Amino acid sequence: METLEWYLEYEIQHNRPGLLGDISSLLGMLSINIKTINGVENQRRGMLLSAEKELQIIRLHSILRTMEHVHITKSREPKLRDRLAVRHGRYIHRDVDDKKTFRFVRSEIGLLVDFMAELFKQEGSKVIGIRGMPRVGKTESIVAASVSANKRWLFVSSTLLKQTARNQLLQDEYNEDNLFIIDGIVSTSRASERHWELVREVMRLPVAKVIEHPDIFVRDTEFTLDHFDYIIELRNHDDEKIIYEPEFRQI
């Protein structure tokens, strides 16, 4: 029988001894299984649950609402952010105005790699942009995520391999299990028209593409930020500004 998977998050109003045990016992009595559990920021605890019927979840809600020590903050079918929050104990930060933009700092690279790996595992075309200053860990994170997702990464353009700007792909590289990486600065400032024919071809492929420096990429091409499904920002610290000075473009 197919089971129902659910994400439940509650805020602890008063962390008395035995609270988690009481909730675990309640779940057991309702025949609801705990798949994963972890603390999730600011006195909150998140759980991935499995149950045979939605009625079990409804009953759980009814009982939890009578408990003065907890307050339910989220209850829904699990999203990717929920799964990662339980796995890492923190939520990915999303831009308030642009919901497809997600922000990370260098100390969260493990979370970033896990996030991108989950995106790479999804089928179909996906365009991901990643912003960040030089040497903050953009390319390394992309490569690590592709390994985690069991994808083969291919540089269409890159500064990592002596200013790579390819003009064609080999026949076996046209594979939906490949991940294509494009450096927006290299492609727009040094590449030939043959390279741009390849870039346009790659953008049409039903595969995952990651574009470093997406703002430069869209500024100097026919593409726009609307072509991107996700934008990732990686900083050394929360207050760092991502700027594109002339010397940055020469990197």
Side-chain angles (χ1 to χ4, degrees):
M1 180 182 296
E2 186 175 352
T3 58
L4 171 69
E5 193 174 35
W6 206 258
Y7 178 70
L8 177 71
E9 181 186 289
Y10 62 85
E11 186 175 22
I12 301 171
Q13 305 295 309
H14 176 60
N15 195 13
R16 63 168 176 79
L19 177 60
L20 179 57
D22 290 347
I23 294 176
S24 298
S25 298
L26 172 61
L27 292 168
M29 287 188 291
L30 293 171
S31 298
I32 299 174
N33 296 317
I34 302 176
K35 299 180 68 174
T36 315
I37 182 171
N38 201 356
V40 183
E41 298 182 355
N42 301 324
Q43 286 289 90
R44 296 187 181 186
R45 185 170 283 129
M47 298 179 173
L48 280 179
L49 307 173
S50 63
E52 293 183 356
K53 301 177 181 178
E54 187 176 358
L55 180 59
Q56 294 166 275
I57 302 295
I58 295 173
R59 287 174 175 169
L60 174 63
H61 286 179
S62 298
I63 298 172
L64 287 179
R65 288 194 179 99
T66 67
M67 298 177 64
E68 60 182 9
H69 299 299
V70 299
H71 170 67
I72 298 175
T73 53
K74 291 183 176 65
S75 180
R76 62 196 181 198
E77 292 185 12
K79 301 179 179 180
L80 175 57
R81 293 180 71 222
D82 300 328
R83 297 181 189 278
L84 294 177
V86 172
R87 198 178 303 169
H88 291 270
R90 69 180 77 176
Y91 264 101
I92 294 172
H93 298 293
R94 176 183 279 180
D95 189 280
V96 175
D97 299 318
D98 184 1
K99 296 300 183 181
K100 69 180 180 183
T101 298
F102 297 84
R103 295 175 173 170
F104 299 83
V105 294
R106 187 171 175 80
S107 62
E108 298 174 323
I109 277 187
L111 177 58
L112 169 59
V113 168
D114 210 359
F115 176 57
M116 286 196 293
E118 293 297 329
L119 296 181
F120 297 164
K121 291 175 186 176
Q122 298 173 4
E123 296 182 356
S125 179
K126 194 169 303 299
V127 183
I128 302 165
I130 182 164
R131 298 174 175 134
M133 297 299 287
R135 293 172 291 279
V136 72
K138 298 184 298 298
T139 305
E140 293 84 349
S141 298
I142 297 167
V143 171
S146 67
V147 172
S148 178
N150 198 28
K151 297 282 187 178
R152 177 189 177 192
W153 70 91
L154 296 171
F155 289 107
V156 178
S157 58
S158 171
T159 59
L160 193 63
L161 301 175
K162 297 182 179 180
Q163 301 291 344
T164 298
R166 297 183 59 179
N167 294 327
Q168 61 182 5
L169 298 179
L170 301 177
Q171 188 59 42
D172 65 346
E173 292 177 332
Y174 290 90
N175 190 313
E176 63 184 17
D177 288 327
N178 289 343
L179 169 75
F180 294 89
I181 305 172
I182 299 171
D183 187 303
I185 292 178
V186 174
S187 287
T188 57
S189 63
R190 293 183 174 85
S192 64
E193 182 55 36
R194 287 185 61 195
H195 170 77
W196 266 102
E197 291 176 3
L198 175 61
V199 169
R200 295 185 182 100
E201 181 181 9
V202 167
M203 291 293 285
R204 292 192 296 268
L205 294 176
V207 297
K209 285 86 65 171
V210 182
I211 300 175
E212 298 185 47
H213 315 299
D215 303 284
I216 300 298
F217 183 79
V218 302
R219 190 178 72 187
D220 296 340
T221 70
E222 70 269 26
F223 297 100
T224 70
L225 290 178
D226 290 336
H227 288 92
F228 289 78
D229 300 290
Y230 297 89
I231 297 290
I232 293 169
E233 296 180 350
L234 178 59
R235 293 173 169 83
N236 286 294
H237 52 80
D238 287 325
D239 298 326
E240 182 177 59
K241 295 185 181 297
I242 300 174
I243 57 175
Y244 295 96
E245 299 293 344
E247 59 268 23
F248 186 8
R249 291 188 57 116
Q250 300 304 314
I251 295 172

